[in-house]
Amino acid sequence: MQSLCILGESMARDAPMDHSIAIAGSGIAGLASAIALHENAGHIRIFEQASQFSEVGAGLQLGPNAMRALQAIGCRDEVQAFAYAPPEIHLRDGLSGKLLRRIKLGTTFMQEYGSPYLVAHRADLHAALLRIAATRPKIEIIKNCSVASAVSARDHVAVSLEHGEPQSHRYLLAADGIKSRLRCNMFAGSEALSLSYMAHRCLLDSIPVVSGIAMGCVNLWMTPWGHVVHYPVGAPARLNIVAVTGGEAVKTGFSRAAPALQSLLDTVPVWLQWPVAHVPQLSRWSSGNVCLVGDAAHGTVPFLAQGAAMALEDSAALKRSFNLPKPLEAFEQLRKARVERLDRQSRSMAQLYHAGFPTRLARNVVLKLIPDITMSRQLDWVYRG
Ligand SMILES: Cc1cc2nc3c(=O)[nH]c(=O)nc-3n(C[C@H](O)[C@H](O)[C@H](O)COP(=O)(O)OP(=O)(O)OC[C@H]3O[C@@H](n4cnc5c(N)ncnc54)[C@H](O)[C@@H]3O)c2cc1C
C-alpha cells in the first residue's frame, strides 16, 4: 500500500474514523501540522482544494525560530540541505542608495540563537514537507477536494466537502490560508482585511550584476513610497524580489528610487501582484473540535517575513498540545499572545520602512549608529521564540 495516497478526484469512502484528524489545506501549515501530529493521531487526512501542487510562490525567510520549529517536527535536516544561508542583511536607504546597516547572519546567528537564518523557495520547502509526509504511513493527502464546512459535536466533527461523501473525524484543523472559508464560517466578521499595499513579486532566472549591490545578501531598500526586499533562492540560484508599493505599479512607485535600485527593478520582465492583507485578531481560534492554524488563524503582512515561520511554529506547538488533555485550548494558549505581538509589530514596520522627511533622516542616523547589541534586541523575541 502506498504510504501517501494522492487520490485526485476519487474520494475515500471509508467508515468514519474516531481518532483521526482532518486538515483543510496542504500549504506549509497543513503539511507541517500533519507531520507534527502523525504520532498522536490514528490517521490524518488532508483535503487540498487544488488539483496540482504548483511552483507558484517565491522566496520565504526561515529565521532561527522557523528552523527550531522544523527541528521539533523532525524536518530540519531535509530543509537545511537546500535552503540558502545569506551572510548578511543589508538595510539601505532606497532614495540615496546608501547602505545604512549590515546585520551579520551566518555564524553570528548560529552562536546567538543556536539555529541559522536561511531563505528558500516556497515550492522547495513545500516539496520537502510533501516528501516527508510521504514517509509517514498515517498521512493521506486528497487533492482536488475542497472543505466546504464543518459542524462540531461532542467528540467528533462532521466535515462537508464540496464534492464527496461527508466525513467524520475527531478534530479538524483549518489550514486553509489567509482567506480561510472555514474561519469565516466559524467567526462572523473575520474576513481578512485588505491594506492599501500591493506586494509585487518576481523570481529572476539568474542573479543580475548591479554595481554596489551584494546580491548574495538579503537586501532591504526603504523609500517613503514603498520598500523592496531581494535575496537569492534555489539551485541554480534565482533572485527573489518583492517590491511593496502603496498600490501603484513598481515603475511608478519607485520612480524616484536610487539608480542602483531602479536598474535592478528594470531587469524584471513581469511582476505578480499579491494584495497585502491581514486577519483581524480573533478572541478564539477554535470552536468545538475545529481549530484554525497558520495564515487561517493569524495571517499578517509580510513586513517581518514571518508567515511561513509562524505556520511552522504552529505545527511544533500542536505537537506539544496534543499530549495535553484539551489540545486545541492548549494550542491557543501556547500561540496566541506571540502571534498577536508579531502581527502588531509586522504592521508597524511600514512606518519605519516608508518613513518620509524628517523621520527618514532620523531613522537613517539611528540605523547607522545603534550598537549591534541594541539592534539585535529588536527582534530577539521573534528569533528566540
Ligand atoms: C501558492 C502560494 C504561494 C505562496 N508564495 C509565497 C511566497 O512566495 N512568499 C511568501 O512569503 N509567502 C507565500 N505564500 C504564503 C505562505 O505560504 C504563507 O504565509 C505561510 O506559509 C502560511 O501558510 P498556510 O499553510 O497557513 O497558508 P497557505 O500557504 O495559503 O496554504 C493554504 C492551503 O489551503 C488550501 N485551501 C484553501 N481553501 C481550502 C479549502 N476550503 N479546502 C481545502 N483546501 C483549501 C490552499 O489551496 C492552500 O494549499 C504563498 C501561499 C500560496 C498558497
Side-chain angles (χ1 to χ4, degrees):
M1 185 186 148
Q2 266 187 306
S3 57
L4 173 73
C5 309
I6 305 214
L7 299 184
E9 290 185 10
S10 75
M11 281 302 314
R13 294 188 185 85
D14 316 13
M17 284 170 283
D18 289 334
H19 301 289
S20 63
I21 296 175
I23 299 180
S26 67
I28 306 298
L31 288 175
S33 300
I35 293 165
L37 292 176
H38 81 279
E39 283 168 3
N40 298 64
H43 188 90
I44 298 175
R45 185 169 280 174
I46 309 179
F47 301 100
E48 167 56 50
Q49 68 174 6
S51 53
Q52 302 278 3
F53 295 121
S54 69
E55 275 269 316
V56 180
L60 293 172
Q61 301 192 40
L62 299 168
N65 53 316
M67 295 311 295
R68 260 197 307 281
L70 281 164
Q71 183 167 24
I73 63 167
C75 301
R76 178 181 160 143
D77 291 348
E78 183 112 13
V79 173
Q80 209 157 331
F82 62 79
Y84 169 67
E88 294 181 344
I89 297 176
H90 288 182
L91 304 181
R92 294 173 169 274
D93 184 303
L95 285 189
S96 67
K98 284 194 180 132
L99 178 58
L100 303 171
R101 185 88 192 185
R102 300 156 75 123
I103 300 170
K104 288 202 183 332
L105 300 172
T107 48
T108 310
F109 255 58
M110 269 306 286
Q111 280 161 6
E112 190 65 29
Y113 299 109
S115 281
Y117 192 108
L118 304 179
V119 295
H121 190 307
R122 181 186 181 273
D124 292 337
L125 174 62
H126 192 261
L129 295 176
L130 271 178
R131 274 195 306 277
I132 295 166
T135 66
R136 310 291 196 259
K138 289 182 193 167
I139 301 177
E140 178 188 14
I141 301 178
I142 303 174
K143 294 200 280 185
N144 201 13
C145 188
S146 185
V147 174
S149 60
V151 178
S152 263
R154 195 175 60 82
D155 58 0
H156 73 280
V157 52
V159 179
S160 300
L161 306 173
E162 211 140 82
H163 305 286
E165 300 289 319
Q167 305 273 310
S168 176
H169 296 270
R170 179 69 184 87
Y171 294 106
L172 170 68
L173 300 179
D176 51 344
I178 196 161
K179 293 183 185 157
S180 172
R181 173 178 180 176
L182 289 163
R183 180 188 68 237
C184 295
N185 290 346
M186 282 161 76
F187 302 111
S190 65
E191 289 80 11
L193 304 168
S194 289
L195 297 173
S196 55
Y197 302 109
M198 180 64 76
H200 307 261
R201 303 180 321 169
C202 87
L203 207 50
L204 291 179
D205 282 342
S206 60
I207 311 286
V209 177
V210 180
S211 171
I213 308 181
M215 290 293 183
C217 296
V218 176
N219 282 268
L220 166 63
W221 302 76
M222 300 173 280
T223 82
W225 306 282
H227 67 276
V228 176
V229 177
H230 58 86
Y231 49 85
V233 289
R238 293 190 279 173
L239 191 71
N240 173 65
I241 312 180
V242 179
V244 175
T245 67
E248 61 276 13
V250 173
K251 190 118 193 116
T252 317
F254 294 96
S255 60
R256 291 172 61 190
L261 178 55
Q262 291 205 37
S263 302
L264 173 63
L265 298 177
D266 284 346
T267 62
V268 177
V270 186
W271 292 99
L272 290 175
Q273 268 79 41
W274 188 277
V276 175
H278 76 107
V279 175
Q281 294 192 355
L282 306 169
S283 54
R284 295 296 309 269
W285 290 343
S286 66
S287 172
N289 299 314
V290 185
C291 188
L292 306 170
V293 298
D295 276 7
H298 47 67
T300 189
V301 300
F303 301 166
L304 279 176
Q306 283 285 322
M310 288 300 120
L312 294 169
E313 283 190 11
D314 280 359
S315 68
L318 281 169
K319 185 174 172 158
R320 287 173 63 193
S321 310
F322 270 73
N323 289 317
L324 299 170
K326 292 184 176 170
L328 303 188
E329 285 174 27
F331 171 68
E332 285 186 19
Q333 275 179 15
L334 279 172
R335 296 293 294 146
K336 265 188 114 269
R338 177 168 164 79
V339 294
E340 284 173 1
R341 184 176 177 191
L342 196 279
D343 172 51
R344 283 193 299 276
Q345 189 155 340
S346 295
R347 283 185 283 135
S348 74
M349 293 315 281
Q351 285 156 30
L352 181 80
Y353 296 168
H354 306 162
F357 181 83
T359 320
R360 168 180 159 247
L361 300 181
R363 174 200 68 198
N364 290 359
V365 170
V366 171
L367 284 177
K368 267 182 177 277
L369 299 182
I370 191 173
D372 282 349
I373 182 82
T374 316
M375 185 79 192
S376 68
R377 278 205 195 114
Q378 305 306 310
L379 291 180
D380 208 56
W381 69 273
V382 176
Y383 298 144
R384 285 194 199 287

